[in-house]
Amino acid sequence: MNNKWNKAIYKIWSPIYDKFFNSGSFLNSRKMIFQEKSFNSEQKILFVGVGTGADLELINHYDLDITAIDYSPEMLNKAKKKFSNTPIQFLEMDAQQMNFMDEQFDIVIGSLILSVVPDANKCFDEMVRVLKKDGEIIIFDKFSPKGKKPSLFKKTIRPLIKVLGTDIGLNFEELLETQKIKLRIKEDAPIMFNGMYRKIVITK
């Protein structure tokens, strides 16, 4: 995967994205994550890889200070149309190289983003960089099972699946390794598909 390829892939995905990832099990999982979380107007909140805005639909966004970024203009435009009458700031931006100051946000939300960016380590490092001390990162994504090596089948098809714009072999524990001194895992829970998708909450 690379940025140009991802932009092309998500141009194709944008018209049908909500049918797959904002319905059924995915919608129920998103509801579980955001119904359990309360936000307040004093917090600066960043949605990394906001896509079509599926997560924004599940929170009381009108009274919140929200910035939402995505690298795909087509996905971002769909989100903008949904929330045209809100104060949400939408920005076209690379999650691997954000144009924000250090420690700018109280909450950083990465929903189905780490597994789709070309370099998950860069994206995760950026999420940590822009998070304030005592801030919180909320992640919903698919990862390899903890302590298990991927099967031969998964290793074989992983490069092919990447062509479609996602990684089925991402290991969160490896992502965390370089940042673990700064971070504390507050919650790590299986959400769907036998734990392939997890909710992970981290504090800085």
Side-chain angles (χ1 to χ4, degrees), residues 12-26:
I12 297 170
W13 268 111
S14 61
I16 58 174
Y17 186 88
D18 281 345
K19 292 180 181 179
F20 287 90
F21 299 105
N22 195 18
S23 63
S25 297
F26 282 98

Side-chain angles (χ1 to χ4, degrees), residues 123-179:
C123 182
F124 184 66
D125 288 349
E126 281 290 272
M127 291 167 70
V128 175
R129 180 184 68 79
V130 302
L131 184 71
K132 292 181 181 179
K133 291 179 181 177
D134 299 321
E136 191 171 80
I137 297 174
I138 301 172
I139 294 169
F140 168 54
D141 219 322
K142 58 181 175 294
F143 299 104
S144 296
K146 287 185 285 186
K148 293 184 180 179
K149 293 183 178 181
S151 65
L152 179 60
F153 176 72
K154 182 175 280 190
K155 285 181 179 179
T156 303
I157 67 170
R158 185 180 181 187
L160 301 175
I161 299 298
K162 278 188 175 183
V163 174
L164 299 176
T166 190
D167 188 354
I168 60 171
L170 190 62
N171 186 294
F172 177 74
E173 286 65 40
E174 290 178 3
L175 281 181
L176 183 66
E177 187 65 28
T178 59
Q179 296 282 357

Side-chain angles (χ1 to χ4, degrees), residues 17-167:
Y17 186 88
D18 281 345
K19 292 180 181 179
F20 287 90
F21 299 105
N22 195 18
S23 63
S25 297
F26 282 98
L27 178 58
N28 291 334
S29 296
R30 291 179 192 273
K31 286 180 178 178
M32 288 171 57
I33 291 166
F34 292 104
Q35 284 177 351
E36 296 174 0
K37 178 65 183 176
S38 60
F39 304 96
N40 66 66
S41 59
E42 301 299 316
Q43 296 169 322
K44 290 181 66 66
I45 304 166
L46 174 66
F47 281 78
V48 181
V50 70
T52 61
D55 294 332
L56 295 172
E57 297 178 52
L58 302 175
I59 65 174
N60 183 20
H61 48 268
Y62 288 99
D63 300 322
L64 301 177
D65 182 355
I66 295 174
T67 301
I69 69 169
D70 204 280
Y71 193 65
S72 165
E74 288 79 17
M75 299 284 276
L76 199 63
N77 285 335
K78 287 185 73 70
K80 286 180 180 179
K81 288 178 182 178
K82 288 181 184 179
F83 303 96
S84 58
N85 296 318
T86 73
I88 299 171
Q89 183 180 22
F90 291 97
L91 300 171
E92 186 178 334
M93 191 182 298
D94 186 353
Q96 302 161 114
Q97 193 173 1
M98 299 186 211
N99 300 326
F100 300 123
M101 296 182 297
D102 294 354
E103 300 185 355
Q104 186 171 339
F105 296 96
D106 298 283
I107 298 175
V108 176
I109 298 166
S111 184
L112 304 180
I113 180 65
L114 289 170
S115 61
V116 303
V117 292
D119 192 324
N121 285 284
K122 284 185 178 179
C123 182
F124 184 66
D125 288 349
E126 281 290 272
M127 291 167 70
V128 175
R129 180 184 68 79
V130 302
L131 184 71
K132 292 181 181 179
K133 291 179 181 177
D134 299 321
E136 191 171 80
I137 297 174
I138 301 172
I139 294 169
F140 168 54
D141 219 322
K142 58 181 175 294
F143 299 104
S144 296
K146 287 185 285 186
K148 293 184 180 179
K149 293 183 178 181
S151 65
L152 179 60
F153 176 72
K154 182 175 280 190
K155 285 181 179 179
T156 303
I157 67 170
R158 185 180 181 187
L160 301 175
I161 299 298
K162 278 188 175 183
V163 174
L164 299 176
T166 190
D167 188 354

Side-chain angles (χ1 to χ4, degrees), residues 38 108 121 166 186 191 193-194 197:
S38 60
V108 176
N121 285 284
T166 190
K186 185 176 178 181
I191 294 294
F193 296 163
N194 294 319
Y197 285 81

